[in-house]
Structure formats: structure tokens, C-alpha cells
């Protein structure tokens, strides 16, 4: 699932998760190390300073990227509790709850994750509208939860509604657009009731997504490697 990031922060804060040279996001152990470095830089700030919250988000995302899910859960629960104490606006709460739902899923708490994602998709639609990146991210995450729980028809319907919006608003090469198409292909080929046409569509979709991911991110990027695995499974 895609992690959410806080909106409207200082541009210089991107140095903790995005390479200045290639403009791609760091991943794996690198982003985990940078998450800890970010946290150590800002940990002395007062609780009401929004930079402290962004540092907690960065640390949680780094731990999550390095598969330290229990630690990521602790950070995200602490951040959510802090924001509630401060009476933070709903859009900040949404970001933390989205990342919390992702962590629940990878800890095997799939029903809990799905219900949280359903609520998040509804709330982001109300706050930012159907064409906002955050809403599209939550649509994809919710569809993934539905697929994990084998509610395939609901997942396909949601993605068929959201994918054209992502292509138009974000572009064909955007990471989230590719991730939504990848999710759609997975839903198609993992459905026990998939037809031959469904399987052909899944393979064709993954072929195209793989080519684009290689061109945009490179062959060694985790997203490209995961897409290649999905392509092999579908075939």
C-alpha cells in the first residue's frame, strides 16, 4: 500500500525522503536511516510544532519501508494520539490514519485495515474531492484491502472508477497511476472466478506497467521488481 505524506510542509523537508539529483524517493534501509536522522534532528521541538509531527511521519514511513512494522505501528499510534491531543485538523488526522491502516494490514489485521480505509476514502473525497491525489491514493489502498478480503467485484468497480481519473490528473507515468493499474491486474488474476479474458487483460496490463516502471524508475527499483513478480504470477 502507498504511504501518505503530510501536505503543505516546508519544501526542504523533502530531503529526508527524495533524492535531489534524480527526484526519486528513497527506499529500503536508506529511507529508514534517513527517517531516524530526521527524527533525531527535530525531536527537541515542542509538541505543538508541526515539524515534530512531520518528523514522526518520516520516521514511521522509514520503519515501514524497512519492514519494521511493529516499530512503525508504535510511532504512528503515538503520532495519532499527539495530534488528537492538539486538536489537529482532519486532514492531518487522515494522513496518520492512512499510514496506520497500511501497518495494520501488514501485521495481519486486515479487517481493521479495510474498515479504516473505507472511512478514509469517504473522508478524503469529502475534504479534497475525487480528483485529489490523496483521494486517489485512498481509493487504491481501499481496493487493495477489498482484494485481500476477496471482495473482488467491489475492488474492480472502485478501480474502474478511479483509474481514468488518475491517468487524466496525474499522468500515465505517475507512480500512483501505475500502482492503481497494478492493483487492478492483481484483482483480476487472483479472482477464482476470473475468465480467460480477465487473465489476458491482467497480463497485458502488467506488461505495460512493467515497461513503464522500468523506463521511469529503473529495473532495480522495488516497485519494478514487485511488478515483475506480479507479471510472472499472472502468466
Amino acid at each position: 500500500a502507498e504511504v501518505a505524506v503530510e501536505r503543505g510542509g516546508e519544501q526542504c523537508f523533502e530531503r529526508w525522503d527524495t533524492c535531489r539529483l534524480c527526484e526519486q524517493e528513497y527506499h529500503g534501509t536508506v529511507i529508514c536511516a534517513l527517517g531516524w536522522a530526521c527524527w533525531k534532528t527535530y525531536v527537541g521541538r515542542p509538541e505543538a510544532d508541526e515539524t515534530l509531527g512531520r518528523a514522526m511521519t518520516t520516521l514511521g514511513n522509514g520503519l515501514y519501508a524497512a519492514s519494521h512494522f511493529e516499530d512503525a505501528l508504535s510511532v504512528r499510534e503515538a503520532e495519532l494520539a499527539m495530534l488528537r491531543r492538539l486538536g489537529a485538523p482532519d486532514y492531518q488526522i487522515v494522513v496518520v490514519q492512512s499510514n496506520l491502516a497500511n501497518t495494520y494490514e501488514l501485521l495481519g489485521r486486515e479487517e481493521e485495515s479495510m474498515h479504516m480505509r473505507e472511512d478514509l476514502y469517504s473522508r478524503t473525497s469529502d475534504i479534497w474531492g475525487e480528483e485529489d491525489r490523496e483521494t486517489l491514493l485512498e481509493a487504491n489502498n481501499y481496493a487493495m484491502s477489498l482484494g485481500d478480503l476477496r471482495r473482488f467485484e467491489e475492488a474492480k468497480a472502485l478501480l474502474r472508477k478511479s483509474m481514468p481519473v488518475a491517468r487524466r490528473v496525474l499522468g500515465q507515468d505517475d507512480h500512483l497511476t501505475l500502482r492503481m493499474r497494478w492493483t487492478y491486474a492483481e484483482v483480476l488474476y487472483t479472482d477464482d472466478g476470473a475468465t480467460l479474458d480477465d487473465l489476458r487483460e491482467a497480463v497485458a496490463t502488467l506488461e505495460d506497467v512493467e515497461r513503464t516502471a522500468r523506463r521511469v524508475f529503473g529495473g532495480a527499483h522495488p516497485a519494478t521488481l514487485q511488478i515483475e513478480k506480479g507479471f510472472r504470477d499472472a502468466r
Side-chain angles (χ1 to χ4, degrees), residues 105 110 117 143-152:
E105 178 192 22
E110 292 179 344
R117 285 173 171 171
M144 290 177 66
S145 280
L146 291 169
D148 289 341
L149 294 170
R150 310 194 71 76
R151 292 167 57 175
F152 297 116

Side-chain angles (χ1 to χ4, degrees), residues 118-232:
E118 181 180 20
D119 177 64
L120 286 165
Y121 174 55
S122 174
R123 286 162 60 199
T124 52
S125 296
D126 291 341
I127 296 170
W128 294 304
E130 294 287 339
E131 296 186 353
D132 189 85
R133 185 184 190 89
E134 191 71 30
T135 303
L136 292 168
L137 184 150
E138 293 306 334
N140 184 66
N141 286 344
Y142 180 32
M144 290 177 66
S145 280
L146 291 169
D148 289 341
L149 294 170
R150 310 194 71 76
R151 292 167 57 175
F152 297 116
E153 293 305 317
E154 293 171 77
K156 284 186 279 190
L158 177 56
L159 289 165
R160 285 168 181 157
K161 172 186 174 184
S162 302
M163 286 189 301
V165 179
R167 288 194 191 99
R168 177 168 49 82
V169 175
L170 305 177
Q172 292 278 9
D173 293 349
D174 186 86
H175 182 276
L176 181 53
T177 303
L178 294 174
R179 189 64 182 87
M180 294 178 84
R181 296 182 64 207
W182 168 18
T183 301
Y184 179 65
E186 286 189 327
V187 169
L188 285 176
Y189 77 75
T190 54
D191 185 350
D192 293 335
T195 65
L196 186 56
D197 285 342
D198 289 334
L199 296 177
R200 286 172 177 159
E201 184 181 1
V203 169
T205 299
L206 285 170
E207 278 184 328
D208 186 58
V209 169
E210 180 191 18
R211 281 194 300 269
T212 306
R214 279 186 168 277
R215 174 171 54 82
V216 175
F217 306 119
H221 193 279
T224 307
L225 297 175
Q226 286 180 307
I227 291 165
E228 288 176 348
K229 180 181 182 303
F231 182 40
R232 290 193 298 271

Side-chain angles (χ1 to χ4, degrees), residues 3 16-18 24-37 58-69 72 76 175 220-223 225-226:
V3 295
W16 299 110
D17 56 36
T18 304
Q24 297 290 337
E25 292 182 358
Y26 297 117
H27 48 81
T29 56
V30 174
I31 197 169
C32 184
L34 287 169
W36 278 114
T58 302
L59 174 58
N61 288 349
L63 291 165
Y64 178 93
S67 301
H68 300 310
F69 302 125
R76 287 169 172 168
H175 182 276
H221 193 279
L225 297 175
Q226 286 180 307

